Amino acid sequence: MGRNAPRRRGTSALVSTLSVALAAAAIAVLPGSGASADPAAPTGSASEITLTDPADTQPRTDRPLVAGTSGFLHRQSGLTGLLWTDYADGTSTVVKNADGVYTPEGSCATLGGPNCAVAWYGSDSDLVALPSAGSVALWDPATRTSTSITTKEAYRGLAGRTVLTEHSVHDRVDGAWRSRPITPDWMRITSLAVTAADAHGVLFKVDGSVYYLDLATATATEAFSGPYSQQYDVLDDDRIGWYDSASGDLHLKPRTDPEATEQVIDLPSPGTQLDGAPVLSGDWLLLPLYTGTGTSQLRAVSLKDGSSPSYTTLASSGWTQYDVLTSPGDVSGDGRPDLIARVASTGTVYLFKGTSTGTLSARVKLYDNWKGYKKIVGAGDLDGDGIGDLLAQDTSNTLYRYHGKGDGTFAARVKLFGDWGGSYNAVVGVGDITDDGRADLVSRDTGGNLYRNSGDGKGSFGSRTKIATGWGGYRSLS
């Protein structure tokens, strides 16, 4: 559902798409004994909730359903109905129709049961479809209100902002609903026939063939015949196709000409079953691979040569002695990121310089004993000189900056704040997240609240701003 999102470029769009493509459930945790698993009651007419911070290891299942442009739709065990979580601030909202909190029905009723039909709740937009007998409510997270369309035909899905029913497509033009029959007139979209959808088109199965429905013209055209049991249909900006997970072959056609001769790209077989639907993105096919561990392994396969990005083993032993590993960026002035490590037993701090081959050089000792610091954070370039800097918080909660000199060493520490971050259990230098060209800082407190300190470009930070709640379930931040 919502697994393909053409025309939403950039890393954030791809990540949001993958959050739905990876079908393996994420694991959070329930509150401890005596606490409620339900969200806090809304205040007044608002429907925002704060997820209770986890306090033990009882698993809670969370299933993503739709990746929109500003947030994503999901369900969580122990909570009633559907949740919409905003990408920007992490707030979660209970999805409601005119009758109140919407309760999933049919094959979607059980969280651990069969998956809902593709695009059942929506795809490639922020609208959420809430189907019921004879009508479909469309819930908008921007206004937290819903509008409804009534139809005598069976509901089949929501593609962008277009409602699909058995024989027709329905969209709004100049504020009024428009219904158009699908051509040819004998065409019928049956239950569970939709295999991929976005704001511009739909792939669906009819007997032994796959058809492409162009939403601009409401015309369905046969695109592929002879589907296989291990077939996954895919869409991107200008192509439609299907992937055979048994052989690794990817079959593609242009959207503008579904009857064209198909291009077959011979890719390596994945070697295991998939944990969800692949995602076609430019010159890459992203495959979520089943691991049997409760999480998926994501493999990117190049359409040009079938290769996948590889990793380099930096070391095979000896690294358990370090209790801090952090990268401040380039501290040696060669343009390559470097690594700072602290030995747990002695507090000795070392520099590992990055090399041109993607490995690390032999360690160089920087300091004898930094045991007095409870946090050491590679913060990136804080003062605009192009060299990475370090932050260190001592046991008295004083925060210091160590200015990178560009020769692999640091200047004497400078105090930034006193009585700072005593409740923080994670502090991360995240780079520039406010789009002002300055490195920022993100911290999490023991209550699961997430804060941002915006960098001032002069080696320090502004006052903190709360940006999310309910982040206590994450083991680490990076």
Side-chain angles (χ1 to χ4, degrees), residues 235-300:
L235 296 166
D236 78 347
D237 282 9
D238 51 14
R239 295 169 296 181
I240 60 175
W242 65 277
Y243 174 70
D244 184 350
S245 62
S247 67
D249 288 346
L250 178 65
H251 302 247
L252 296 175
K253 288 186 178 184
R255 276 191 192 242
T256 55
D257 189 5
E259 295 181 299
T261 301
E262 66 183 59
Q263 175 191 13
V264 180
I265 302 177
D266 184 13
L267 301 176
S269 171
T272 186
Q273 71 186 73
L274 300 189
D275 220 5
V279 173
L280 182 62
S281 179
D283 290 328
W284 295 92
L285 184 68
L286 308 178
L287 303 175
L289 305 180
Y290 175 77
T291 64
T293 63
T295 59
S296 304
Q297 175 191 349
L298 185 64
R299 178 184 298 169

Side-chain angles (χ1 to χ4, degrees), residues 1 23 63-65 107-118 120 192 275-276:
M1 288 140 283
R63 173 171 290 174
L65 298 171
S107 63
C108 303
T110 305
L111 185 61
N115 289 333
C116 300
V118 172
W120 187 256
L192 302 177
D275 220 5

Side-chain angles (χ1 to χ4, degrees), residues 379-386 431-440 454-458:
D381 177 18
L382 298 178
D383 49 15
D385 63 355
D432 176 21
I433 60 174
T434 55
D435 201 28
D436 61 0
R438 300 164 182 166
D440 305 314
S454 296
D456 64 4
K458 301 176 183 179

Side-chain angles (χ1 to χ4, degrees), residues 53 421-426 443-451 464 466 468 470-472 477:
D53 193 41
S423 64
Y424 294 156
N425 57 22
S443 306
R444 181 187 63 185
D445 67 16
T446 54
N449 301 303
L450 206 65
Y451 298 93
R464 73 180 189 179
K466 183 186 286 189
W471 278 62
L477 304 178

